[in-house]
Structures are given as structure tokens and as C-alpha cells.
Amino acid sequence: MIKRIAAGAGALALIVVLAAAAWYFRPWSPYSPARITALDDPEQYPQTFQRMGEILPAVPITATAPMPLALGDTRLPQTYTFNGETRDLEDYFARARVTGLTVLKDGVRVHDAYFHGAGPDTTHTSWSVAKSFVATLIGKALHEGLIDSLDDPASKYALQFAGTDYGDTSLRHLLMMSAGMDFQEVYTPERESDVRPLFFNTFIMGREPDAMVAEIFRDRTPGEDQHYTSPNSHVLAAVARGVYAAKLADVVEAELWAPLGMTHDASWLQNRPGEDGQAIGYCCLQATTADFARFGELYRLDGVWNGERLLPEGWAEAATIPGEPWQEPGETPYDARGYAMHFWVPEDYNGEFFAAGVFGQYVWVDTLRGVVIAQNAGNPDWDAMTRESYAVFRAIAEHVSPAEMRLQEVAAELRDAILARETGRIADAPPDGQESDPEGGR
């Protein structure tokens, strides 16, 4: 009898082990917990982040109206200065595990560099750079009258959050990362984190992000401090889905990819494959480095593209310059950087701002020099290299667009604008001795 019980218990244990192994490896599915946990291997980050659309379920974003940028040819500086030391730029690329770098000068693509097997057609994951794309959709919807005010509660446009703390939060406080929600966002395995369970439960358990985010509660007054939490961006993505009545990837394709003439197809991750999948609104856009740079160019141009205003007048400034003292560098909890509305500013910023993603993703914009720099990377030490990355981007911007040269260019642009205006006045002036008739002779 005892032997039968033991044998039965052993058989049951074997069945449990086999079932767990089947669930973990899922040989019948291209997506499995085993593949997802491979994301935790820092040595593989440079390669893994080029394959996120294969490892996890993704929805395509099609480049329906590609318009390549003009090409130039500018060499990067060989060195840069950091902490009083002269350092080698190639060494930075190696230590930062850079996979792609694109530099624009006044909209001209003047330099590209790729590493770790990447190339011009490689789509790199954005991580939290995607948050800035989501914020841009909010700005575009505001410009088009689909959103009445940034002070409206999120539930006005994302009905699934009605009756929740997130639903009662204004779009402005979500954009400012000041929603007052009880959520811990850290990315180191040894520290307790809420964002890691949110990410892995989304893909391993297939839970809907909307439902999980709706369960988060507020623990302090919104609009009084800086507290960066990814669910804020997911709620904004739900708002974009609501006002445009479409899946997030489709909204991005129609409202950003096509108007900006993005040149390559991209993708956005969702919790499961198929039409019933739900996008992860706080990260997970895959695009080429050059198309990330093109996004930065939209903000350098104050939200105007090919003569058409895509974002509200004043939006680019509000989104990229801190509006409260506690958003300034040195006042936020984040080393060497401040925050505005889903864009960061570096310490000692002067016309500079950037979108950023964990492990070294950047879209750096220098409005005074007319330079945009997009960097993709797989760097587990990205946080410790924050200040050094600023030094690199500033060295590249100064090399590509030296201050003296930029002053001359701006002066020439101003002269041309004044001449064009004066010429227009002369052309519109009536002949001598005649008065203009605003009614056209009527």
C-alpha cells in the first residue's frame, strides 16, 4: 500500500514538473516565459534589444509615406571631455554598448554609426523613449480638438478608468509624472520593483495592462512632486486609443509615422498576439535609429513639419522645459536631470532636452545648435554613465555645429526672413498715388 502511494505521488510530481516545464517553454508557441526571462541577461542586451519584436508579441507600424532625409557627411569628434579628462569617443561607444547612432544637423542626416551587428534597417527597442511618442499623441489630439484640456481627468477619454484613482488624474499631472500614485519604478534586480511584475505579468500571464494599472491607488496629492511611474504613460496611451478609436500601433502609424515620413516599418509590443491584444503604453516601440532621430527633429522644429503644424503652438516648449521648481535638475529624485512633460532636461540645460529609455536609449535635441542625436544601446550600466552621455552628446553637437558657425547661420536665416518680409511688403504695396482697398474694390 505504501509503495502504491509513493508511486502515485511520484507520478503526480512528474506530471506537475512536466506541466510546469511545458508552461515555461511552451513549444507550441513562439512566445514563452523562457524566452521572456532571457531578457534578464545583461550580456545579451545589445542583441536582445534588436529582436524584441520577435521575442514578444508585436503589432506592425507601416511606413506608408516614406520621405528620406537629406544626407550629409560629417565626421564625429575623436575625443570629448568629461570630469576634466579627455576621453576617446570610440571607447565610449564600446563601454556604453551603443548599437546605433544617428546625428541630424538642421534636418540633414550627417552621420550614422552602428555596432553589435546592427545597421540602418535594424529596429531597436525604445523602452521609455516610447513615452515621449505617447505624449506627442496627446499633444496632437489637443491640437485637433479631440481633447478639450490637459486639466481634464483621464476617465473623460479612457472610460475603462472611470471610478479609479488613475481615472480621476488630470492629463497634465500624468504628463508631468506627478500623479501621486503608489508605484515603485526601479530596474535593478536586487531592489523591490513594481514595474518588473507589471511587465512580466503582462507577457507571461497575458493580463491586460489596463486592468492591472487600474488597480493602482493614489498615496499623495498630485501635482506636488516628481515621481516617475510607467503606468502614468500607459493611461495616456489609453486616452490616445480612446480619442482616436483605434489600437495604439494604428494611431502611431496614422498620426506620426505617415505625417513625419518615417522611412522604415516599426512595431509596438502588446500583451498577446492577435486583434484582442493590448499595447504596452509605457514602452516598447521598435524603430530604426534614424526614425527616432526624425521624431526629435519634430520637436526641434517646434511641432511643425513640412510647413504644417502638427502640435499646438507652445506645446514643444511646455513639454520640454520644466514648469515647476521641483521639476528642475537637482530638485527631482533623478541624478543630473529634470523633467517637463514626458521629456527630460540635463543639468545646466540651454536649449537642450531629451527623450530617454532604460539601458541607454536617447533622443537628444539641441535647439540652439540645430542638432538631434539618437542613440540606441544595451547598456546595463547606463544610469552610472548618465553625465558622461551628456558630455558625449554635447561634444558631438558642438563639433557638428560649432557655436560661432551657428551664430552666423542664425544671423543669415534672420536676414533672409527680414528680406523676405520686406520684399513681400513691397510686392503688396499699391502703385504710387493709389490707396489700398481692403474690400477689393467693392
Side-chain angles (χ1 to χ4, degrees):
M1 185 67 176
I2 295 177
K3 290 182 178 180
R4 289 183 180 179
I5 294 175
L12 179 60
L14 179 61
I15 291 172
V16 170
V17 170
L18 292 175
W23 175 85
Y24 185 71
F25 291 101
R26 297 184 190 180
W28 62 86
S29 171
Y31 311 108
S32 70
R35 296 187 71 180
I36 294 172
T37 55
L39 298 175
D40 274 340
D41 183 359
E43 292 302 316
Q44 296 301 315
Y45 283 172
Q47 286 73 36
T48 298
F49 295 167
Q50 299 176 45
R51 301 176 48 246
M52 292 290 281
E54 304 169 18
I55 295 172
L56 299 171
V59 179
I61 298 170
T62 304
T64 57
M67 296 180 62
L69 294 171
L71 295 178
D73 186 12
T74 301
R75 294 193 177 191
L76 298 185
Q78 294 182 342
T79 62
Y80 61 98
T81 301
F82 178 64
N83 281 347
E85 299 177 355
T86 299
R87 299 192 177 187
D88 183 77
L89 186 62
E90 290 295 330
D91 178 65
Y92 166 81
F93 290 150
R95 287 186 294 108
R97 301 189 185 186
V98 173
T99 53
L101 186 87
T102 292
V103 181
L104 307 183
K105 167 67 167 66
D106 291 329
V108 177
R109 191 169 155 185
V110 297
H111 193 90
D112 291 283
Y114 300 100
F115 310 90
H116 297 280
D121 300 328
T122 300
T123 57
H124 311 254
T125 200
S126 62
W127 293 114
S128 288
V129 167
K131 289 180 170 69
S132 301
F133 281 79
V134 167
T136 304
L137 293 177
I138 299 299
K140 197 164 190 293
L142 184 68
H143 181 61
E144 294 169 358
L146 299 176
I147 290 174
D148 297 324
S149 169
L150 294 184
D151 295 313
D152 287 340
S155 59
K156 180 176 179 178
Y157 308 101
L159 301 181
Q160 63 270 45
F161 290 101
T164 70
D165 284 351
Y166 258 126
D168 291 338
T169 306
S170 73
L171 304 183
R172 187 181 307 278
H173 289 152
L174 292 170
L175 286 164
M176 292 170 67
M177 287 292 179
S178 185
M181 305 302 285
D182 185 12
F183 190 90
Q184 297 302 315
E185 181 122 359
V186 293
Y187 293 91
T188 52
E190 63 273 12
R191 294 179 61 185
E192 184 177 352
S193 170
D194 291 323
V195 74
R196 292 172 66 85
L198 177 63
F199 184 86
F200 287 107
N201 282 337
T202 297
F203 292 109
I204 293 176
M205 305 306 297
R207 293 190 62 190
E208 290 193 353
D210 281 1
M212 289 189 287
V213 168
E215 296 171 354
I216 302 172
F217 295 97
R218 195 184 322 282
D219 64 355
R220 60 197 179 283
T221 304
E224 294 187 352
D225 71 340
Q226 193 69 41
H227 183 52
Y228 182 96
T229 60
S230 283
N232 293 351
S233 304
H234 182 79
V235 176
L236 290 171
V239 169
R241 285 156 36 206
V243 298
Y244 286 106
K247 293 173 71 71
L248 183 60
D250 293 336
V251 178
V252 172
E253 180 178 305
E255 305 302 326
L256 294 178
W257 236 247
L260 295 180
M262 298 296 202
T263 57
H264 287 77
D265 293 347
S267 66
W268 202 296
L269 300 186
Q270 61 181 28
N271 65 330
R272 55 180 174 268
E275 287 300 316
D276 65 339
Q278 191 174 97
I280 318 303
Y282 55 83
C283 75
C284 308
L285 167 66
Q286 284 68 235
T288 63
T289 307
D291 280 341
F292 282 126
R294 185 185 293 249
F295 171 72
E297 182 71 1
L298 171 66
Y299 275 83
R300 188 188 74 80
L301 296 174
D302 190 35
V304 176
W305 195 263
N306 286 338
E308 179 184 0
R309 177 161 288 284
L310 301 182
L311 301 174
E313 188 171 355
W315 173 270
E317 180 176 340
T320 62
I321 298 177
E324 297 288 346
W326 44 263
Q327 291 184 298
E328 294 287 349
E331 300 298 326
T332 73
Y334 317 109
D335 183 43
R337 56 194 186 275
Y339 204 74
M341 294 199 307
H342 273 47
F343 282 88
W344 300 89
V345 293
E347 57 185 357
D348 303 321
Y349 64 93
N350 183 19
E352 302 156 309
F353 56 87
F354 61 95
V358 70
F359 307 123
Q361 324 314 316
Y362 287 98
V363 178
W364 177 278
V365 181
D366 185 331
T367 57
L368 298 184
R369 289 184 170 82
V371 173
V372 176
I373 303 167
Q375 172 186 291
N376 291 109
N379 181 16
D381 299 321
W382 64 280
D383 201 20
M385 293 182 67
T386 295
R387 284 187 170 88
E388 186 171 3
S389 294
Y390 298 167
V392 167
F393 299 149
R394 283 167 165 162
I396 291 174
E398 172 62 23
H399 182 83
V400 169
S401 181
E404 292 183 3
M405 177 188 298
R406 187 59 180 167
L407 284 174
Q408 295 173 0
E409 291 173 347
V410 171
E413 292 169 3
L414 183 60
R415 286 196 304 270
D416 290 344
I418 293 173
L419 180 61
R421 185 173 60 185
E422 294 301 325
T423 302
R425 286 178 180 174
I426 294 172
D428 293 338
D432 291 342
Q434 295 185 19
E435 295 182 0
S436 61
D437 184 352
E439 298 299 323
R442 290 179 293 173

